[in-house]
Amino acid sequence: MFDSLSDRLGGILDKLKRRGALSEADVGEAMREVRRALIEADVALDVVREFTDKVRQRAIGVEVVKSVTPGQMVVKIVHDELIAMLGADADPIDLNAPAPVPILMVGLQGSGKTTSTAKIAKRLTEKGKRRVLMASLDTRRPAAMEQLATLGTQVGVTTLPIVPGQSAVQIARRAMEAARFGNYDVVMLDTAGRVTLDEALMAEVAEVKAATAPHEVLLVADSLTGQDAVNTARAFDDRVGLTGIVLTR
Ligand SMILES: Nc1nc2c(ncn2[C@@H]2O[C@H](COP(=O)(O)OP(=O)(O)O)[C@@H](O)[C@H]2O)c(=O)[nH]1
Ligand SMILES: [Mg+2]
């Protein structure tokens, strides 16, 4: 999604860059195109409006008028505002807590929880030099636990042995216990999803959270779902509280 959006924005801004003097109408035209590109990329309308208003204000102000290369100045303003909107600083996973640090992965079915769990575990193991234990709390989807175990073998991260018949909370407790005994630094808890948000899912996730007191609760959301991801994030944040979001695809 970001690739096609940046291609389009790049095209719009390239046209501006090649111009010499810029009139207010030139800037206005470019902003309309930027606005259309953002809306087609499913960016929320109020976000689009705020963004283009800010850029337009700065672009038709002194900064551009006094600039020798007005087109490039506008491009810089768009760039600066995009970074301001998306967040200037990366916020790494916080492991600053007594070991084993529990990290809870939540989200809808198919959003990429299990895959992201393994990816993050690999990163924490290889780059972070942490001892990581992964556990699947997905008791619903057949073979979900085997999926995590297979990924664990691929990335070289230990998974909690599968004990059939346990509930999600029981597995979570067992994972914490195993991590304490095994001197692990981090426990990644991969939960079950649902096709849509429902109360049973929220209740289960809330129960697991209460039982394990995770230091991070990461929502995994499919970036291709656009604004739906915002609604999902809001619902999870209201009910269980989130500390971060992982965008997949
Ligand atoms: N292209 C792409 N596919 C992904 C990504 N993350 C997960 N998938 C795929 O999406 C499908 C569902 O992922 P999974 O991790 O099982 O989702 P879960 O149901 O939330 O645990 C699998 O086929 C994954 O290989 C991603 O970042 N990009
Ligand atoms: Mg899964």
Side-chain angles (χ1 to χ4, degrees), residues 103-165:
I103 297 177
L104 184 61
M105 307 291 285
V106 302
L108 296 179
Q109 189 174 307
S111 59
K113 286 181 300 302
T114 303
T115 311
S116 302
T117 299
K119 282 184 185 172
I120 292 171
K122 179 180 193 297
R123 190 185 170 87
L124 293 177
T125 303
E126 291 175 2
K127 291 223 169 90
K129 306 285 174 224
R130 298 301 210 284
R131 296 194 66 219
V132 183
L133 178 68
M134 301 193 291
S136 169
L137 314 186
D138 190 344
T139 55
R140 279 181 188 70
R141 212 160 51 83
M145 298 192 191
E146 286 79 3
Q147 181 192 356
L148 188 68
T150 304
L151 290 173
T153 308
Q154 279 172 17
V155 298
V157 175
T158 314
T159 45
L160 186 75
I162 297 169
V163 176

Side-chain angles (χ1 to χ4, degrees), residues 9-19 22 29 33 71:
L9 289 180
I12 297 166
L13 298 177
D14 272 347
K15 266 196 291 183
L16 270 189
K17 255 198 284 199
R18 278 187 255 112
R19 309 280 298 254
L22 283 186
E29 169 64 22
E33 285 181 47

Side-chain angles (χ1 to χ4, degrees), residues 17 23 30 41 53 84 103 105-106 126 157 166 169 214-215 228 235 248:
K17 255 198 284 199
S23 67
D53 281 353
I103 297 177
M105 307 291 285
V106 302
E126 291 175 2
V157 175
Q166 286 199 319
V169 176
H215 193 58
D228 262 355
T248 57

Side-chain angles (χ1 to χ4, degrees), residues 99-101 131-134 158 178-187:
V101 182
R131 296 194 66 219
V132 183
L133 178 68
M134 301 193 291
T158 314
R180 254 175 243 121
F181 281 122
N183 280 317
Y184 284 89
D185 302 310
V186 178
V187 183

Side-chain angles (χ1 to χ4, degrees), residues 53-106:
D53 281 353
K54 269 194 198 148
V55 173
R56 189 176 295 129
Q57 266 174 27
R58 284 185 59 188
I60 58 183
V62 239
E63 278 180 85
V64 173
V65 177
K66 287 203 172 155
S67 162
V68 261
T69 53
Q72 282 178 6
M73 198 66 212
V74 173
V75 172
K76 183 183 180 304
I77 293 170
V78 171
H79 181 251
D80 291 351
E81 291 295 336
L82 266 181
I83 288 175
M85 181 172 72
L86 293 170
D89 305 306
D91 213 351
I93 291 177
D94 179 15
L95 297 178
N96 207 350
V101 182
I103 297 177
L104 184 61
M105 307 291 285
V106 302

